[in-house]
């Protein structure tokens, strides 16, 4: 095989209670990438459609991740990456993770799959670190493994795939402003009061238990963020109102998607998710801010060959 075309999905990180460790994979939005073998060694970026992104292999998230893989697995020749970028950078739904994970997944396919999906995270993380200034795998893990994932350690990349209750449907509203992860991380405090930490790990533990037991009520009670949301909420127009509207309309929970500005909600069933989307968007209609709304099931497969 000399060429492979893949779909690499968007994802929601943090999921309120699991900053930098929890995430889930979406299926209705993602990028398409084509990776081809080349005679010359190394990684080059070919065509990029959809967004303005650097073609310099040292600055593009996809080629940086791909080069990390090739460093560990030398091969004759190299690879060219073409990207149809449908996930907007700085939107909060794992744009850089999709590029980084997609690149290493596609090359692994062309090499005859020497690595498992879990092992690919260690290479993809080089791309994610370039984009956000920190090595965290909470978007990469769901893209590569599918479903919900927990990163027990971002240092050793000890990653656990979690079950996905089948009725969960995500609503994502993306106000069209760009918020770079590197900036929304820079405003975070380095220390958290013990009381808040206790609440947060109580919620994270309960959330994970709820995934295993299909307990939607417990899931709902656990989608709380006492640590990060209070600091970041000010960056997102009408955040509090939109989150409240989602919950009042029946969402199990709602919060900042990744580092924002997108806001996500999880609901039980598609009908509920659509009602929630209608309620969320009224606030941006009122102030005339452009936005996009996505509805998605939980993508249990992750990145895939097309
Ligand atoms: N956990 C990350 C953050 C996700 O919130 O900064 C975005 O990369």
């Amino acid at each position: 095989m000399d060429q492979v075309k893949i779909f690499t999905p968007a994802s929601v990180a943090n999921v309120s209670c699991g900053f930098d460790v929890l995430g889930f994979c979406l299926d209705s939005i993602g990028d398409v990438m084509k990776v081809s073998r080349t005679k010359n060694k190394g990684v080059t970026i070919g065509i990029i459609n959809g967004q303005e992104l650097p073609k310099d292999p040292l600055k593009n998230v996809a080629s940086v991740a791909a080069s990390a893989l090739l460093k560990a697995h030398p091969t004759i020749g190299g690879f060219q990456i073409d990207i149809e970028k449908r996930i907007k950078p700085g939107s909060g739904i794992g744009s850089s993770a999709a590029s980084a994970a997609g690149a290493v997944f596609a090359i692994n396919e062309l090499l005859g799959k020497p690595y498992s999906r879990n092992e690919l995270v260690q290479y993809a993380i080089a791309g994610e670190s370039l984009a956000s200034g920190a090595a965290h795998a909470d978007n990469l893990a769901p893209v590569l493994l599918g479903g919900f994932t927990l990163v027990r350690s971002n240092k050793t990349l000890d990653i656990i795939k979690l079950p996905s209750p089948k009725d969960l449907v995500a609503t994502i509203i993306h106000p069209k402003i760009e918020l770079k992860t590197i900036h929304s991380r820079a405003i975070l405090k380095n220390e958290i009061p013990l009381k808040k930490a206790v609440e947060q790990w109580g919620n994270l533990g309960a959330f994970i238990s709820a995934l295993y037991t299909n307990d939607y009520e417990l899931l709902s009670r656990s989608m709380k963020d006492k640590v990060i949301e209070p600091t970041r909420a000010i960056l997102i127009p009408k955040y509090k109102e939109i989150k409240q509207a989602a919950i009042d309309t029946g969402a199990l929970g709602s919060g900042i998607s990744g580092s924002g500005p997108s806001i996500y909600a999880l609901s039980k069933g598609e009908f509920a998710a659509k009602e929630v989307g209608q309620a969320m968007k009224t606030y941006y209609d009122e102030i005339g801010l452009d936005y996009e709304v996505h509805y998605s099931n939980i993508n249990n497969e992750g990145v895939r060959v097309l």
Side-chain angles (χ1 to χ4, degrees), residues 13-14 18-21 96 128 132 136 138-139 181 184-185 188 228 232 258-260:
N14 301 339
F19 176 69
D20 271 2
V21 297
S96 53
E128 182 70 312
S132 67
H136 51 88
D138 52 341
N139 282 108
T181 299
S184 51
R185 290 182 82 82
L188 297 178
I228 303 296
R232 282 183 172 168
S259 56

Side-chain angles (χ1 to χ4, degrees), residues 57-139:
L58 297 176
K59 293 190 180 145
N60 186 292
V61 166
S63 41
V64 167
S67 301
L69 175 77
L70 290 192
K71 218 167 151 188
H73 190 103
T75 174
I76 312 162
F79 298 90
Q80 175 178 309
I81 304 174
D82 298 323
I83 309 170
E84 195 179 314
K85 193 76 196 151
R86 297 178 186 167
I87 313 170
K88 288 197 180 61
S91 60
I93 50 171
S95 175
S96 53
S99 293
V104 296
F105 174 79
I107 292 179
N108 191 50
E109 290 291 310
L110 293 176
L111 293 174
K113 297 196 207 179
Y115 300 106
S116 69
R117 284 174 177 252
N118 208 319
E119 285 168 337
L120 288 175
V121 178
Q122 66 188 303
Y123 305 113
I125 203 143
E128 182 70 312
S129 305
L130 173 78
S132 67
H136 51 88
D138 52 341
N139 282 108

